[in-house]
Amino acid sequence: MANRLTTGDRLIDRRTVLRAGAAVAAAAPVLLRGPVADAQPRPRMIIDSQVHAYEANTPQRPWFRVPNWPAHVTGDEMVAAMDKLGIDGAIFISPFSMYRYDGSYAVEVQKAHPDRFALVKPVDPDDPAVADVIADWKKTPGTVGIRIIMTKEAKREPDDPGFDRILRAAVKHDFPVNVLFWGNVDAGTALIDGHPDTRFIIDHLGILQPSVPPAPAQPWADLPKVLELAKRTNAVIKVSGACTLSKEPYPFPDIWDTRCPRVRRLGFRSLPVGYRLDASVRGRQLRAGHGALPQD
């Protein structure tokens, strides 16, 4: 699923989003620094807020770890799925699970499909030269942001000096920062509040999502914290992966009937939408005609 941008919103044209990389198309208008849309009618565009593409696990491009994902979802396969589903473009986030801080495959895919993908890659807080890495990434065609990982497993505090280096560089180069802190919302909130000049995109609702069914007994326990966090002016929430929290099959009525009304109070223009799906759900979603490729 993806945001649908319509006349009256602050629209981002395809060249700006997918070629120039001036901003993350999936982010809310409050995070984007582009021209205000004029009154001329424009065709609707569908931009998926987060996808991962990756090659098979080979010695030439080995995976760091092997998640329960399909054996490969190459850039060409991703584009074919997007074409089938009418998706104009996507924010390609280099998959941390496989490639860690190496964004080279994402760059290869974007070169092959420059009108379809804008790029985000994770950056390493332990790298003392991470500011130079971000500066180089800014010069790479199609790049629109960076990502940091702040789950409990990462064992990093909000005042981590590596985060400070990254966030200062992000402000300098006008990059929004995608941040994954599901299961660690309090620490993520402290990070966001400690860096008011940084633009944050909160990955996957900020809510811990299972990699395989079933959904946890209380999947929405952190939702009140997330809704409170959404009041920050320097952050937006990416509504991706919500289907993994459903206890019912597609179209996941327990989410739409009981949870989304609360989320809608924030306004969907501030909520980039996408899917995060494990392999077992992926096929079912594609058969149902919805863009569902695995994400972390």
Coordinates of all heavy atoms in Angstrom, one line a residue, residues 139-233:
K139 N 25.8 12.9 -2.5 CA 26.2 13.2 -3.9 C 25.8 12.0 -4.9 O 25.9 12.2 -6.1 CB 27.7 13.3 -4.0 CG 28.3 14.5 -3.2 CD 29.8 14.4 -3.1 CE 30.4 15.5 -2.2 NZ 31.9 15.4 -2.1
T140 N 25.3 10.9 -4.3 CA 24.9 9.8 -5.1 C 23.6 10.0 -5.8 O 22.6 10.4 -5.1 CB 24.9 8.5 -4.3 OG1 26.1 8.3 -3.7 CG2 24.5 7.3 -5.1
P141 N 23.4 9.9 -7.1 CA 22.1 10.1 -7.7 C 21.0 9.3 -7.1 O 21.1 8.1 -6.8 CB 22.4 9.7 -9.2 CG 23.8 9.9 -9.4 CD 24.5 9.5 -8.1
G142 N 19.9 10.0 -6.9 CA 18.7 9.3 -6.4 C 18.5 9.2 -4.9 O 17.5 8.7 -4.4
T143 N 19.5 9.6 -4.1 CA 19.5 9.4 -2.7 C 18.6 10.5 -2.0 O 18.6 11.7 -2.4 CB 20.8 9.5 -2.0 OG1 21.5 10.7 -2.3 CG2 21.7 8.3 -2.6
V144 N 17.8 10.1 -1.0 CA 16.8 11.0 -0.4 C 16.9 10.9 1.1 O 16.2 11.7 1.8 CB 15.4 10.7 -0.9 CG1 15.3 11.1 -2.4 CG2 15.0 9.3 -0.6
G145 N 17.7 10.1 1.7 CA 17.7 10.0 3.2 C 18.6 8.9 3.6 O 19.3 8.2 2.9
I146 N 18.7 8.8 5.0 CA 19.5 7.8 5.6 C 18.7 7.1 6.7 O 17.5 7.5 7.0 CB 20.8 8.4 6.3 CG1 20.4 9.5 7.3 CG2 21.7 8.9 5.2 CD1 21.6 10.1 8.0
R147 N 19.2 6.0 7.3 CA 18.5 5.2 8.2 C 19.4 4.9 9.4 O 20.5 4.6 9.2 CB 17.9 4.0 7.6 CG 16.9 3.2 8.5 CD 16.5 1.9 7.9 NE 15.2 1.4 8.4 CZ 14.8 0.1 8.4 NH1 15.6 -0.8 7.8 NH2 13.7 -0.2 8.9
I148 N 18.8 4.9 10.6 CA 19.5 4.4 11.8 C 18.6 3.3 12.5 O 17.4 3.3 12.4 CB 19.9 5.5 12.8 CG1 18.6 6.3 13.2 CG2 20.9 6.4 12.1 CD1 19.0 7.3 14.3
I149 N 19.3 2.4 13.2 CA 18.6 1.3 13.9 C 18.8 1.6 15.4 O 19.9 1.7 15.9 CB 19.2 0.0 13.5 CG1 19.2 -0.2 12.0 CG2 18.4 -1.2 14.2 CD1 17.9 -0.2 11.3
M150 N 17.6 1.6 16.1 CA 17.7 1.9 17.5 C 16.7 0.9 18.3 O 16.1 1.3 19.2 CB 17.3 3.4 17.8 CG 17.7 3.9 19.2 SD 17.0 5.5 19.5 CE 17.6 5.8 21.1
T151 N 16.7 -0.3 17.8 CA 16.0 -1.3 18.6 C 16.7 -1.6 19.9 O 17.9 -1.3 20.0 CB 15.8 -2.6 17.7 OG1 17.1 -3.1 17.4 CG2 15.0 -2.3 16.4
K152 N 16.0 -2.4 20.8 CA 16.7 -2.8 22.0 C 17.9 -3.6 21.7 O 18.9 -3.6 22.4 CB 15.7 -3.5 22.9 CG 14.7 -2.5 23.5 CD 13.8 -3.3 24.5 CE 12.8 -2.3 25.2 NZ 11.9 -2.9 26.1
E153 N 17.8 -4.4 20.7 CA 18.9 -5.3 20.3 C 20.2 -4.5 19.9 O 21.3 -5.0 20.1 CB 18.5 -6.2 19.2 CG 17.5 -7.3 19.5 CD 16.1 -6.7 19.6 OE1 15.9 -5.5 19.1 OE2 15.2 -7.3 20.1
A154 N 20.0 -3.3 19.4 CA 21.1 -2.5 19.0 C 21.9 -2.0 20.2 O 23.1 -1.6 20.1 CB 20.7 -1.3 18.2
K155 N 21.2 -1.9 21.4 CA 21.9 -1.5 22.6 C 22.5 -0.1 22.5 O 23.7 0.1 22.9 CB 22.9 -2.6 23.1 CG 22.2 -3.9 23.4 CD 23.3 -4.9 23.8 CE 22.6 -6.3 24.1 NZ 23.6 -7.3 24.5
R156 N 21.8 0.8 22.1 CA 22.3 2.2 22.0 C 21.3 3.2 22.7 O 20.1 3.0 22.6 CB 22.4 2.6 20.5 CG 23.4 1.8 19.7 CD 23.6 2.4 18.3 NE 24.6 1.6 17.6 CZ 25.9 1.7 17.7 NH1 26.4 2.7 18.5 NH2 26.7 0.9 17.0
E157 N 21.9 4.1 23.4 CA 21.2 5.1 24.1 C 20.9 6.3 23.3 O 21.6 6.6 22.3 CB 22.0 5.5 25.4 CG 22.3 4.4 26.4 CD 21.0 3.8 26.9 OE1 20.0 4.6 27.2 OE2 20.9 2.6 27.1
P158 N 19.9 7.1 23.6 CA 19.6 8.3 22.8 C 20.8 9.3 22.7 O 20.9 10.0 21.7 CB 18.5 8.9 23.6 CG 17.8 7.8 24.3 CD 19.0 6.9 24.7
D159 N 21.7 9.3 23.7 CA 22.8 10.2 23.7 C 24.1 9.6 23.1 O 25.2 10.1 23.3 CB 23.1 10.8 25.1 CG 23.5 9.7 26.1 OD1 23.4 8.4 25.7 OD2 23.8 10.0 27.2
D160 N 23.9 8.5 22.3 CA 25.0 7.8 21.7 C 25.8 8.8 20.8 O 25.2 9.5 20.0 CB 24.5 6.6 20.9 CG 25.6 5.8 20.3 OD1 26.4 6.3 19.5 OD2 25.7 4.6 20.6
P161 N 27.1 9.0 21.0 CA 27.8 9.9 20.2 C 27.8 9.7 18.7 O 27.9 10.6 17.9 CB 29.3 9.9 20.7 CG 29.3 8.6 21.5 CD 28.0 8.3 22.0
G162 N 27.6 8.4 18.3 CA 27.5 8.0 16.9 C 26.2 8.6 16.3 O 26.2 9.1 15.2
F163 N 25.1 8.5 17.1 CA 23.9 9.1 16.6 C 24.0 10.6 16.5 O 23.5 11.2 15.5 CB 22.8 8.8 17.6 CG 22.2 7.4 17.5 CD1 21.5 6.9 18.6 CD2 22.3 6.6 16.4 CE1 21.0 5.6 18.5 CE2 21.8 5.4 16.3 CZ 21.2 4.8 17.4
D164 N 24.7 11.2 17.4 CA 24.9 12.7 17.3 C 25.6 13.1 16.0 O 25.3 14.0 15.3 CB 25.6 13.2 18.5 CG 25.7 14.7 18.6 OD1 24.7 15.3 18.7 OD2 26.8 15.2 18.5
R165 N 26.7 12.3 15.7 CA 27.4 12.6 14.5 C 26.5 12.4 13.2 O 26.5 13.3 12.3 CB 28.6 11.6 14.3 CG 29.8 11.9 15.3 CD 31.0 11.1 14.8 NE 30.8 9.7 15.0 CZ 31.1 9.0 16.1 NH1 31.6 9.6 17.1 NH2 30.9 7.6 16.1
I166 N 25.7 11.4 13.2 CA 24.9 11.1 12.1 C 23.8 12.2 12.0 O 23.6 12.7 10.9 CB 24.2 9.8 12.3 CG1 25.2 8.6 12.1 CG2 23.0 9.6 11.3 CD1 24.7 7.3 12.5
L167 N 23.2 12.6 13.1 CA 22.1 13.5 13.0 C 22.6 15.0 12.6 O 21.9 15.7 11.9 CB 21.3 13.5 14.3 CG 20.7 12.2 14.6 CD1 19.9 12.2 16.0 CD2 19.8 11.6 13.5
R168 N 23.7 15.3 13.1 CA 24.3 16.6 12.7 C 24.6 16.6 11.2 O 24.3 17.6 10.5 CB 25.5 16.9 13.5 CG 25.2 17.4 14.9 CD 26.4 17.9 15.7 NE 27.3 16.8 16.2 CZ 28.5 16.5 15.7 NH1 29.0 17.2 14.7 NH2 29.2 15.6 16.2
A169 N 25.1 15.5 10.7 CA 25.4 15.4 9.3 C 24.1 15.5 8.5 O 24.1 16.0 7.4 CB 26.2 14.2 9.0
A170 N 23.1 14.8 9.0 CA 21.8 14.8 8.3 C 21.2 16.2 8.1 O 20.7 16.6 7.1 CB 20.8 13.9 9.0
V171 N 21.3 17.0 9.2 CA 20.8 18.4 9.1 C 21.7 19.2 8.1 O 21.2 19.9 7.3 CB 20.9 19.0 10.5 CG1 20.6 20.5 10.4 CG2 19.9 18.4 11.4
K172 N 23.0 19.0 8.1 CA 23.9 19.7 7.2 C 23.6 19.4 5.8 O 23.6 20.3 4.9 CB 25.3 19.3 7.5 CG 26.3 20.0 6.6 CD 27.8 19.6 7.0 CE 28.8 20.2 6.0 NZ 30.2 19.8 6.4
H173 N 23.2 18.1 5.5 CA 23.0 17.7 4.1 C 21.5 17.7 3.7 O 21.1 17.1 2.7 CB 23.7 16.4 3.8 CG 25.2 16.5 3.9 ND1 25.9 17.2 3.0 CD2 26.0 16.0 4.9 CE1 27.2 17.1 3.4 NE2 27.3 16.4 4.5
D174 N 20.7 18.1 4.6 CA 19.2 18.2 4.4 C 18.6 16.8 4.1 O 17.8 16.6 3.2 CB 18.9 19.2 3.3 CG 17.4 19.5 3.2 OD1 16.7 19.5 4.3 OD2 16.9 19.9 2.1
F175 N 19.0 15.8 4.9 CA 18.5 14.5 4.8 C 17.5 14.2 5.9 O 17.9 14.4 7.1 CB 19.6 13.4 4.9 CG 20.2 13.0 3.6 CD1 21.5 12.4 3.6 CD2 19.5 13.0 2.4 CE1 22.0 12.0 2.4 CE2 20.0 12.6 1.2 CZ 21.3 12.1 1.2
P176 N 16.3 13.7 5.6 CA 15.5 13.1 6.7 C 16.1 11.8 7.2 O 16.8 11.1 6.4 CB 14.2 12.9 6.1 CG 14.5 12.8 4.6 CD 15.7 13.6 4.3
V177 N 15.9 11.5 8.4 CA 16.5 10.2 9.0 C 15.3 9.3 9.3 O 14.5 9.5 10.2 CB 17.2 10.6 10.3 CG1 17.8 9.3 10.9 CG2 18.4 11.6 10.0
N178 N 15.4 8.1 8.6 CA 14.5 7.0 8.9 C 15.0 6.3 10.2 O 16.2 6.1 10.3 CB 14.4 6.0 7.8 CG 13.7 6.6 6.6 OD1 12.6 6.1 6.2 ND2 14.4 7.5 5.9
V179 N 14.2 6.1 11.2 CA 14.7 5.5 12.4 C 13.7 4.3 12.8 O 12.5 4.5 12.8 CB 14.8 6.5 13.5 CG1 13.5 7.3 13.8 CG2 15.3 5.9 14.8
L180 N 14.3 3.2 13.1 CA 13.6 2.0 13.5 C 13.9 1.8 15.0 O 15.0 1.5 15.4 CB 14.1 0.8 12.7 CG 13.4 -0.6 13.1 CD1 11.9 -0.6 12.8 CD2 14.1 -1.8 12.5
F181 N 12.8 2.0 15.8 CA 13.0 1.8 17.3 C 11.8 1.1 17.8 O 11.4 1.3 19.0 CB 13.2 3.1 18.0 CG 12.2 4.2 17.8 CD1 10.9 4.1 18.2 CD2 12.7 5.4 17.2 CE1 10.0 5.2 18.0 CE2 11.8 6.5 17.0 CZ 10.5 6.3 17.4
W182 N 11.2 0.2 17.0 CA 10.0 -0.6 17.5 C 10.5 -1.4 18.8 O 11.6 -1.8 18.9 CB 9.4 -1.5 16.5 CG 10.4 -2.5 15.8 CD1 11.6 -2.9 16.3 CD2 10.1 -3.2 14.6 NE1 12.1 -3.9 15.4 CE2 11.2 -4.0 14.4 CE3 9.0 -3.2 13.7 CZ2 11.3 -4.9 13.3 CZ3 9.1 -4.0 12.6 CH2 10.2 -4.8 12.4
G183 N 9.6 -1.4 19.7 CA 9.9 -2.0 21.0 C 10.7 -1.2 21.9 O 11.1 -1.6 23.0
N184 N 11.1 0.0 21.5 CA 12.0 0.9 22.2 C 11.5 2.3 22.1 O 12.3 3.2 21.8 CB 13.4 0.7 21.7 CG 14.5 1.1 22.7 OD1 14.3 1.1 23.9 ND2 15.7 1.4 22.1
V185 N 10.2 2.5 22.2 CA 9.6 3.8 21.9 C 10.1 4.9 22.8 O 10.4 6.1 22.3 CB 8.1 3.8 21.9 CG1 7.5 5.1 21.6 CG2 7.6 2.7 20.9
D186 N 10.3 4.7 24.1 CA 10.7 5.7 25.0 C 12.1 6.2 24.6 O 12.3 7.5 24.6 CB 10.8 5.2 26.4 CG 9.4 4.9 27.0 OD1 8.4 5.5 26.4 OD2 9.2 4.1 27.9
A187 N 13.0 5.3 24.2 CA 14.3 5.8 23.8 C 14.3 6.5 22.5 O 15.0 7.6 22.3 CB 15.3 4.6 23.7
G188 N 13.4 6.1 21.6 CA 13.3 6.8 20.3 C 12.7 8.2 20.5 O 13.1 9.1 19.8
T189 N 11.8 8.3 21.4 CA 11.2 9.6 21.7 C 12.3 10.6 22.3 O 12.3 11.7 21.9 CB 10.0 9.5 22.7 OG1 9.0 8.6 22.1 CG2 9.4 10.8 23.0
A190 N 13.1 10.0 23.2 CA 14.2 10.9 23.7 C 15.1 11.3 22.6 O 15.6 12.5 22.6 CB 14.9 10.1 24.8
L191 N 15.4 10.4 21.7 CA 16.3 10.8 20.6 C 15.7 11.9 19.7 O 16.4 12.9 19.4 CB 16.6 9.6 19.7 CG 17.5 9.8 18.5 CD1 18.9 10.0 18.9 CD2 17.3 8.7 17.5
I192 N 14.4 11.8 19.4 CA 13.8 12.8 18.6 C 13.7 14.1 19.3 O 14.0 15.2 18.8 CB 12.4 12.3 18.2 CG1 12.5 11.2 17.2 CG2 11.5 13.4 17.6 CD1 11.2 10.5 16.9
D193 N 13.3 14.1 20.6 CA 13.2 15.3 21.4 C 14.6 16.0 21.6 O 14.7 17.2 21.7 CB 12.6 15.1 22.7 CG 11.1 14.8 22.6 OD1 10.5 15.0 21.5 OD2 10.5 14.2 23.6
G194 N 15.7 15.2 21.6 CA 17.0 15.7 21.8 C 17.6 16.4 20.5 O 18.7 17.0 20.6
H195 N 16.9 16.2 19.4 CA 17.4 16.7 18.1 C 16.3 17.4 17.3 O 15.9 16.9 16.3 CB 18.1 15.6 17.3 CG 19.3 15.0 17.9 ND1 20.5 15.4 17.7 CD2 19.3 13.9 18.8 CE1 21.4 14.7 18.4 NE2 20.7 13.8 19.1
P196 N 15.9 18.5 17.8 CA 14.7 19.2 17.2 C 14.9 19.7 15.8 O 13.9 19.9 15.1 CB 14.4 20.3 18.2 CG 15.7 20.6 18.9 CD 16.4 19.3 19.0
D197 N 16.2 19.9 15.4 CA 16.4 20.3 14.1 C 16.5 19.2 13.0 O 16.6 19.5 11.8 CB 17.8 21.1 14.0 CG 17.7 22.4 14.8 OD1 16.6 23.0 15.0 OD2 18.7 22.8 15.4
T198 N 16.5 18.0 13.5 CA 16.5 16.8 12.6 C 15.1 16.4 12.2 O 14.2 16.4 13.0 CB 17.3 15.7 13.2 OG1 18.5 16.1 13.7 CG2 17.4 14.5 12.3
R199 N 14.9 16.0 10.9 CA 13.6 15.5 10.5 C 13.7 14.0 10.5 O 14.5 13.4 9.9 CB 13.4 16.0 9.0 CG 13.2 17.5 8.9 CD 13.0 17.9 7.4 NE 14.2 17.7 6.7 CZ 14.3 17.4 5.4 NH1 13.1 17.3 4.7 NH2 15.4 17.3 4.7
F200 N 12.7 13.4 11.3 CA 12.7 12.0 11.5 C 11.5 11.4 10.8 O 10.4 11.9 10.8 CB 12.6 11.7 13.0 CG 13.8 12.0 13.8 CD1 14.0 13.2 14.4 CD2 14.9 11.0 13.9 CE1 15.1 13.5 15.1 CE2 16.0 11.3 14.6 CZ 16.1 12.5 15.2
I201 N 11.7 10.2 10.3 CA 10.6 9.3 9.8 C 10.6 8.0 10.6 O 11.6 7.3 10.6 CB 10.8 9.0 8.3 CG1 10.8 10.3 7.4 CG2 9.7 8.1 7.8 CD1 11.3 10.1 6.0
I202 N 9.6 7.8 11.3 CA 9.5 6.7 12.2 C 9.0 5.4 11.5 O 7.9 5.4 11.0 CB 8.6 7.0 13.4 CG1 9.1 8.2 14.2 CG2 8.5 5.8 14.4 CD1 8.0 8.8 15.1
D203 N 9.9 4.5 11.4 CA 9.6 3.3 10.6 C 8.6 2.4 11.3 O 8.6 2.2 12.5 CB 10.9 2.4 10.4 CG 11.8 3.1 9.4 OD1 11.4 3.9 8.6 OD2 13.0 2.7 9.3
H204 N 7.7 1.8 10.5 CA 6.8 0.7 10.9 C 6.0 1.0 12.1 O 5.9 0.2 13.0 CB 7.6 -0.6 11.1 CG 8.4 -1.0 9.9 ND1 7.9 -1.0 8.6 CD2 9.6 -1.5 9.7 CE1 8.8 -1.4 7.7 NE2 9.8 -1.8 8.4
L205 N 5.5 2.3 12.1 CA 4.6 2.7 13.2 C 5.2 2.8 14.5 O 4.6 3.2 15.5 CB 3.4 1.7 13.3 CG 2.2 1.9 12.4 CD1 1.3 0.7 12.4 CD2 1.4 3.1 12.8
G206 N 6.5 2.5 14.6 CA 7.2 2.5 15.9 C 6.7 1.3 16.8 O 7.1 1.3 18.0
I207 N 6.0 0.4 16.2 CA 5.4 -0.7 17.0 C 6.1 -2.0 16.6 O 6.2 -2.3 15.4 CB 3.9 -0.8 16.8 CG1 3.2 0.5 17.4 CG2 3.3 -2.0 17.4 CD1 1.7 0.6 17.2
L208 N 6.5 -2.8 17.5 CA 7.2 -4.1 17.2 C 6.2 -5.0 16.4 O 5.1 -5.2 16.8 CB 7.6 -4.7 18.5 CG 8.4 -6.0 18.4 CD1 9.8 -5.7 17.8 CD2 8.6 -6.6 19.8
Q209 N 6.8 -5.5 15.3 CA 6.0 -6.4 14.4 C 6.6 -7.7 14.3 O 7.9 -7.8 14.1 CB 5.9 -5.7 13.1 CG 5.2 -4.3 13.2 CD 5.2 -3.5 11.9 OE1 5.8 -3.9 10.9 NE2 4.7 -2.3 11.9
P210 N 5.9 -8.8 14.3 CA 6.4 -10.1 14.2 C 6.9 -10.4 12.8 O 6.3 -9.9 11.8 CB 5.2 -11.0 14.6 CG 4.0 -10.2 14.2 CD 4.4 -8.8 14.4
S211 N 7.9 -11.2 12.6 CA 8.4 -11.6 11.3 C 7.6 -12.7 10.7 O 7.6 -13.0 9.5 CB 9.9 -12.0 11.4 OG 10.1 -13.0 12.3
V212 N 6.9 -13.5 11.6 CA 6.1 -14.6 11.1 C 4.8 -14.5 12.0 O 4.8 -14.0 13.2 CB 6.7 -15.9 11.3 CG1 7.9 -16.1 10.3 CG2 7.2 -16.2 12.7
P213 N 3.6 -15.0 11.5 CA 2.4 -15.0 12.3 C 2.6 -16.0 13.4 O 3.5 -16.8 13.4 CB 1.4 -15.5 11.3 CG 2.0 -15.3 9.9 CD 3.4 -15.4 10.1
P214 N 1.8 -15.9 14.5 CA 0.7 -15.0 14.7 C 1.1 -13.6 15.3 O 2.3 -13.5 15.7 CB -0.2 -15.7 15.7 CG 0.8 -16.5 16.5 CD 1.9 -16.9 15.6
A215 N 0.2 -12.7 15.3 CA 0.4 -11.4 15.9 C 0.5 -11.6 17.4 O -0.1 -12.6 18.0 CB -0.7 -10.5 15.5
P216 N 1.2 -10.8 18.1 CA 1.3 -10.9 19.6 C -0.1 -10.7 20.2 O -1.0 -10.1 19.6 CB 2.3 -9.8 20.0 CG 2.3 -8.8 18.8 CD 2.0 -9.7 17.6
A217 N -0.2 -11.1 21.4 CA -1.5 -11.0 22.1 C -2.0 -9.5 22.3 O -3.2 -9.3 22.1 CB -1.4 -11.6 23.5
Q218 N -1.1 -8.6 22.5 CA -1.4 -7.2 22.6 C -0.6 -6.4 21.7 O 0.3 -5.6 22.1 CB -1.2 -6.7 24.1 CG -2.1 -7.4 25.1 CD -3.5 -7.1 25.0 OE1 -3.9 -6.1 24.5 NE2 -4.4 -8.1 25.3
P219 N -0.9 -6.5 20.4 CA 0.0 -5.9 19.4 C 0.1 -4.3 19.5 O 1.1 -3.7 19.0 CB -0.5 -6.4 18.1 CG -1.9 -6.7 18.3 CD -2.0 -7.2 19.7
W220 N -1.0 -3.7 20.0 CA -1.1 -2.3 19.9 C -0.8 -1.6 21.3 O -1.2 -0.5 21.5 CB -2.5 -1.9 19.5 CG -2.8 -2.4 18.1 CD1 -3.5 -3.5 17.8 CD2 -2.4 -1.9 16.9 NE1 -3.6 -3.7 16.5 CE2 -2.9 -2.7 15.8 CE3 -1.7 -0.7 16.5 CZ2 -2.7 -2.4 14.5 CZ3 -1.5 -0.5 15.1 CH2 -2.0 -1.3 14.2
A221 N -0.1 -2.3 22.1 CA 0.2 -1.8 23.5 C 0.9 -0.4 23.4 O 0.7 0.4 24.3 CB 1.0 -2.8 24.3
D222 N 1.8 -0.2 22.5 CA 2.6 1.0 22.4 C 1.9 2.1 21.6 O 2.4 3.2 21.4 CB 3.9 0.7 21.8 CG 4.9 0.2 22.8 OD1 4.7 0.3 24.0 OD2 6.0 -0.4 22.3
L223 N 0.7 1.9 21.1 CA 0.0 2.8 20.2 C -0.2 4.2 20.9 O 0.0 5.2 20.3 CB -1.3 2.3 19.7 CG -2.1 3.2 18.7 CD1 -1.2 3.5 17.5 CD2 -3.4 2.6 18.3
P224 N -0.6 4.2 22.2 CA -0.7 5.6 22.9 C 0.6 6.4 22.8 O 0.5 7.6 22.6 CB -1.2 5.2 24.3 CG -1.9 3.9 24.1 CD -1.1 3.1 23.1
K225 N 1.7 5.7 23.1 CA 3.0 6.4 23.0 C 3.3 6.9 21.6 O 3.8 8.0 21.4 CB 4.1 5.4 23.4 CG 4.1 5.0 24.9 CD 5.2 4.1 25.2 CE 5.2 3.7 26.7 NZ 6.4 2.9 27.0
V226 N 2.9 6.1 20.6 CA 3.2 6.5 19.2 C 2.3 7.7 18.9 O 2.8 8.6 18.2 CB 2.9 5.3 18.3 CG1 2.9 5.8 16.8 CG2 3.9 4.2 18.5
L227 N 1.0 7.7 19.3 CA 0.2 8.8 19.0 C 0.7 10.1 19.7 O 0.6 11.2 19.1 CB -1.3 8.5 19.4 CG -1.9 7.4 18.6 CD1 -3.3 7.1 19.1 CD2 -2.0 7.7 17.1
E228 N 1.2 9.9 20.8 CA 1.8 11.1 21.5 C 3.0 11.6 20.8 O 3.2 12.8 20.6 CB 2.1 10.7 23.0 CG 2.7 11.9 23.8 CD 1.7 13.0 24.0 OE1 0.5 12.7 24.0 OE2 2.1 14.2 24.2
L229 N 3.8 10.6 20.3 CA 5.0 11.0 19.6 C 4.7 11.7 18.3 O 5.5 12.6 17.9 CB 5.8 9.7 19.3 CG 7.1 9.8 18.6 CD1 8.1 10.8 19.3 CD2 7.8 8.4 18.4
A230 N 3.6 11.4 17.7 CA 3.2 12.0 16.4 C 2.9 13.5 16.6 O 2.8 14.2 15.5 CB 1.9 11.3 15.9
K231 N 2.8 14.0 17.7 CA 2.6 15.5 17.9 C 3.9 16.3 17.7 O 3.8 17.5 17.5 CB 2.1 15.7 19.3 CG 0.7 15.1 19.6 CD 0.3 15.4 21.1 CE -1.0 14.7 21.4 NZ -1.4 14.9 22.8
R232 N 5.0 15.6 17.6 CA 6.3 16.3 17.4 C 6.3 16.9 16.0 O 5.8 16.2 15.0 CB 7.4 15.4 17.5 CG 8.0 15.2 18.9 CD 7.1 14.7 19.9 NE 7.7 14.4 21.2 CZ 7.1 13.9 22.2 NH1 5.8 13.6 22.1 NH2 7.7 13.7 23.4
T233 N 6.8 18.1 15.9 CA 6.8 18.8 14.6 C 7.9 18.3 13.7 O 7.9 18.6 12.5 CB 6.9 20.3 14.8 OG1 8.1 20.6 15.5 CG2 5.6 20.8 15.5

